[in-house]
Amino acid sequence: MERTLSIIKPDGVSRGLIGEVIKRFEANGIKIIAMKMVHLTLKDAQAFYAVHKERPFFNSLTDFMISGPIVPMILEGENVIEKNRTLMGATNFKEAAEGTIRRDFATDIEKNIVHGSDSPETAAAEMAFFFNHFEINQR
Ligand code: CMP
């Protein structure tokens, strides 16, 4: 069993896509074992995306991520890091496969509805960023 962090970003929340995203996870056998809604401060967003701090899109990305509440979740399942990335589709929605979340709903490379951890190491750090031990459930 593997775990990963998913975030429904401010565009997904404001456009009423929380249910749609969760429906896709559950329909694909992924279990949600932690979930909440939070509104990050700029400092939080900069810390979460610190790996991108030298990238030209960093300021725009962190401003976007604090533009409204987000829904972080911990997903559990076999091979769930890869499975979640397949369901999300490519970062750039124009390159995302048919039927993926980003292909169906993203409006640009930044406002791409969801975030998902890209490796076991990143997943561990990103899950710990949002959740403590009593917010993570056995199901
Ligand atoms: P995410 O998977 O959360 O990881 C970093 C985020 O930066 C990405 O999704 C996009 O929301 C955003 N972003 C904006 N511009 C780019 C870009 N040119 N390349 C990659 N990510 C970008």
Side-chain angles (χ1 to χ4, degrees), residues 91-108:
T91 303
N92 184 350
F93 73 106
K94 290 181 182 163
E95 292 161 11
E98 294 268 346
T100 60
I101 295 168
R102 286 166 168 167
R103 175 67 172 260
D104 288 348
F105 301 109
T107 52
D108 73 33

Side-chain angles (χ1 to χ4, degrees), residues 9 49 52 55 57 61 91 102 109-110 112 114-116:
K9 296 184 180 186
Y49 277 120
H52 294 306
R55 307 287 286 272
F57 55 82
L61 171 63
T91 303
R102 286 166 168 167
I109 193 166
E110 180 176 273
N112 61 359
V114 279
H115 167 82

Side-chain angles (χ1 to χ4, degrees), residues 8 16-25 101 104-105:
I8 305 177
L17 295 171
I18 297 172
E20 177 66 36
V21 171
I22 290 175
K23 187 178 81 182
R24 291 181 184 215
F25 291 155
I101 295 168
D104 288 348
F105 301 109

Side-chain angles (χ1 to χ4, degrees), residues 1-126:
M1 264 322 154
E2 197 175 62
R3 291 177 176 180
T4 191
L5 185 86
S6 167
I7 303 176
I8 305 177
K9 296 184 180 186
D11 56 336
V13 174
S14 66
R15 289 173 55 200
L17 295 171
I18 297 172
E20 177 66 36
V21 171
I22 290 175
K23 187 178 81 182
R24 291 181 184 215
F25 291 155
E26 293 191 323
N28 283 279
I30 292 174
K31 265 189 199 164
I32 296 165
I33 59 164
M35 175 164 62
K36 58 184 159 188
M37 182 179 285
V38 294
H39 196 149
L40 296 180
T41 64
L42 184 58
K43 229 175 153 181
D44 294 327
Q46 288 170 339
F48 183 78
Y49 277 120
V51 62
H52 294 306
K53 66 176 185 295
E54 307 302 335
R55 307 287 286 272
F57 55 82
F58 183 66
N59 288 341
S60 171
L61 171 63
T62 51
D63 282 347
F64 163 57
M65 288 301 287
I66 66 165
S67 66
I70 61 174
V71 177
M73 288 172 263
I74 296 180
L75 310 181
E76 187 178 76
E78 253 173 60
N79 204 19
V80 74
I81 296 175
E82 190 54 39
K83 211 168 182 180
N84 180 40
R85 293 179 71 76
T86 301
L87 290 174
M88 289 193 299
T91 303
N92 184 350
F93 73 106
K94 290 181 182 163
E95 292 161 11
E98 294 268 346
T100 60
I101 295 168
R102 286 166 168 167
R103 175 67 172 260
D104 288 348
F105 301 109
T107 52
D108 73 33
I109 193 166
E110 180 176 273
K111 295 178 183 59
N112 61 359
I113 312 289
V114 279
H115 167 82
S117 310
D118 61 6
S119 69
E121 296 72 31
T122 314
E126 292 186 348

